[in-house]
Amino acid sequence: MDEDAISRAITALRSGRLVGLPTETVYGLACDATNALAVASVFAAKGRPRFNPLISHVADLRAAQAEGVFCALARRLAEAFWPGPLTLVVPRAVGGSVCDLACAGLPTVALRVPAHPLAQALLQGFGQPVAAPSANVSGRPSPTAADHVRAEMGDRVAVVLDGGPCVVGVESAVVAVRDGQATLLRLGGLSRQAIEAVSGSLLAPDATDRAAPASPGMILRHYAPSAPVRLHAERAKPGEVLIGFGAMDCTLNLSRTADLAEAAASLFAHLRAADALSPTAIAVARVPDTGLGEAINDRLRRAAEGSQETP
Ligand code: TXA
Ligand code: MG
């Protein structure tokens, strides 16, 4: 194993940079899951039009239990299939360190323990959860070799760990566990039958449940503030809390220097903080629709739409 490459990768993660991470399923575009700015740069590098929640990778079940709440069923699934191509979506643990942006503001966290020896070495050495979607530009096939990652990402990754071709080659199966019931959210490198042998019959995602994804990456509703959201605001009306962007007079600011990565990193936390003030509405300043701004605006539109549906 290339110890030198692993220690360079750990240094890169610690400084908020991105690493090409071999796993048994596909190569991931990895960052420190506790660093919202680093997570924002993953979305930017992938050119994702919106913030989907990412999988946080950890070394073992014990590390996973620091981030998520495992009921008996979740623990059985983890013990049966970890390390391996299964991702479990569970409620976030109090005191968990995965940032809000990696969870897209949801009350749940997606966790996986990969089996690849290089991924294991990195996670053990780094000692923190690592967020990693597949290392392709959005809309392109997932990379299954180190060269694919270099071709897709160029110098957006600081280090690409070369772990050879991926043995599974498709993404992990994603299973949400809630109230002792397992729901298959994404088919992947573990068959439905293999999972059901442990979990009993899996529920299909409920198309009417707007908080659960109907298909991979299709989260219709992320964290929805309970206050209504007013977009493109220039100033706060009485009773409103204004979330600003760039130099302006406001209660909270996504980024005083109008930096879109900083804005992405603070978005969910600011919505939450604004909501906690129980305003008549959360007013949000206009954010440019370029680069990460597109994802920020997608999220803000969803938050605003959701609020109109609430009486
Ligand atoms: O094999 C894999 O899973 C690869 C390797 C790198 O580990 N990773 C991967 O990550 O495919 P990503 O971010 O592309 O896929 C995450 C999937 C999406 O379908 C997302 O919607 C779902 O997991 N997901 C993540 N967090 C979730 C949550 N809290 N609730 C529901 N679905 C979630
Ligand atoms: Mg992907």
Side-chain angles (χ1 to χ4, degrees), residues 21 23 25-29 46 48 52-55 57 85 87 89-90 102-103 106-112 114 132-136 142 170-174 176 185-186 211-213 215-219:
L21 174 72
T23 82
T25 58
V26 300
Y27 274 73
L29 183 61
K46 281 187 68 78
R48 278 211 174 167
N52 293 321
L54 304 180
I55 296 169
H57 300 70
T87 294
V89 174
V90 296
C103 298
L106 292 166
T108 49
V109 60
L111 294 163
R112 162 159 131 76
S134 51
N136 51 288
S142 298
V170 295
E171 284 88 349
S172 59
V174 180
L185 299 181
R186 177 175 82 180
S215 59
M218 280 298 299
I219 305 277

